[in-house]
Amino acid sequence: MQASVFSLALVLNFLLLEVSSVPFGSQVRAKLGNKIIHLELPYQNNVFKIQKDLASATGGFLYSDGFAIYSIDANFSSASNTKLLGRNNGPRSGYAPVGQPVSDDVPPVNDLYALAGFVQLDTDTIVIVSIYQHCILGLNSTTSEYYVIAGTCGSSGLVDGPPGTGRFSQPSDVAYNVADKNYVIYVSDKSNNAVRKVTLDTGNVTTVVTEGIYQPTSISWSFDRSFLLVSNMHNVAKIIRDGDGNHSVQTLDIAVLSYGFGVVEIEPGLIAVADTAKQDIQLLDVDRGVSERARCSLVFPFSVLYNSGRLYMGESGAISSAPLIRN
């Protein structure tokens, strides 16, 4: 009897600890308000990435739906929705040397449909991650010239080196810091469980980190551009570079994700990450060491962008947003 009472006390104590670890009310410094759907996509395509369009004079956006990259105005009007690159459109998806456009005699290849990650370098140049071609591509959005930047299109692996030698394996996203004078991009290399660095003027790829990286789906710069954020399958990690150029990984264990995707730091210490499997946004308050689900009724969110007080979210079949409200 005494043993049973002791066991019951242990169980009750464990449950009490579990309950006390669950936040009552909101402890994260901000929450999301009611969402607004700005654009509904045909065929329920997934919006894998959304970002501000540097070439837009009116505050427009770019987004990818897995098949193509589009530009759209700030009001998300259907009339402005323009395909820049994609299947059955624009430049042919063949392969060419770095800086050389694909010639017209190269037949189109439909494997280019996995257009998840991309980033603008300037108003004319878009860097595209081709997941199933395992390489990094460039597009001049003004001339529609299309070329290989890094990797070996059609071949996968974990190999450092210049184009034709270097290898990726299902690269998923790309990040670029416009203030970086070294002119480099960072790539989340999903099936290699790695983050890679590409020097843009040569196309040379090197491996930055592998430890602490697992199935990375998204990569972005922090609010102040001092470190990188990576969305792993089940957590968010920071990649920090020291003064000697060495990189280290710090896992943020304050949130466990079912399937993490797009990630953005809204302000120093406040991070939003799309949890696709839970169909929600997770808000991480790093300074307070807490996290909380936004509970804004999403349909398989894949991407996030913070702009002018609102969090824009790319879902399955839609682009929506919600205001950030201070607690």
Side-chain angles (χ1 to χ4, degrees), residues 51-215:
Q51 71 165 58
K52 292 293 293 181
D53 185 358
L54 299 179
S56 172
T58 58
F61 298 85
L62 296 178
Y63 71 91
S64 63
D65 69 351
F67 295 91
I69 294 176
Y70 300 82
S71 65
I72 194 166
D73 66 20
N75 296 318
F76 291 92
S77 62
S78 298
S80 73
N81 201 17
T82 304
K83 186 186 293 184
L84 299 180
L85 168 76
R87 296 176 74 175
N88 303 319
N89 178 76
R92 298 183 181 276
S93 52
Y95 315 132
V98 174
Q100 298 297 316
V102 176
S103 61
D104 289 336
D105 58 356
V106 177
V109 179
N110 283 336
D111 284 345
L112 196 57
Y113 66 85
L115 297 176
F118 68 91
V119 69
Q120 279 178 300
L121 303 185
D122 49 45
T123 56
D124 296 321
T125 309
I126 301 175
V127 174
I128 304 157
V129 171
S130 182
I131 296 177
Y132 296 134
Q133 288 182 351
H134 312 291
C135 56
I136 311 302
L137 310 168
L139 169 70
N140 186 310
S141 57
T142 301
T143 66
S144 293
E145 290 181 339
Y146 175 102
Y147 50 92
V148 176
I149 291 176
T152 305
C153 291
S155 298
S156 63
L158 181 58
V159 181
D160 292 347
T165 299
R167 298 285 193 280
F168 297 89
S169 185
Q170 294 190 348
S172 55
D173 197 11
V174 58
Y176 174 64
N177 181 6
V178 294
D180 192 339
K181 303 304 181 182
N182 295 319
Y183 204 48
V184 298
I185 57 174
Y186 288 85
V187 178
S188 52
D189 199 357
K190 187 170 183 284
S191 291
N192 278 328
N193 299 318
V195 170
R196 319 287 296 282
K197 181 174 74 173
V198 175
T199 304
L200 288 168
D201 57 356
T202 64
N204 192 64
V205 56
T206 56
T207 301
V208 175
V209 290
T210 55
E211 186 176 351
I213 303 298
Y214 179 69
Q215 298 284 289

Side-chain angles (χ1 to χ4, degrees), residues 35-41 44-51 61-65 76 261-264 273-276 279-281 296-306 311-322:
K35 80 165 186 176
I36 297 173
I37 296 178
H38 295 283
L39 179 70
E40 294 187 13
L41 305 181
Q44 293 296 303
N45 289 349
N46 301 320
V47 180
F48 286 107
K49 191 160 187 177
I50 178 172
Q51 71 165 58
F61 298 85
L62 296 178
Y63 71 91
S64 63
D65 69 351
F76 291 92
F261 230 89
V263 61
V264 64
V273 57
D275 194 332
T276 305
Q279 301 191 68
D280 207 346
I281 301 297
C296 50
S297 301
L298 302 172
V299 181
F300 298 112
F302 287 93
S303 53
V304 286
L305 168 72
Y306 183 70
L311 188 70
Y312 290 83
M313 300 162 286
E315 306 181 54
S316 178
I319 295 174
S320 60
S321 78

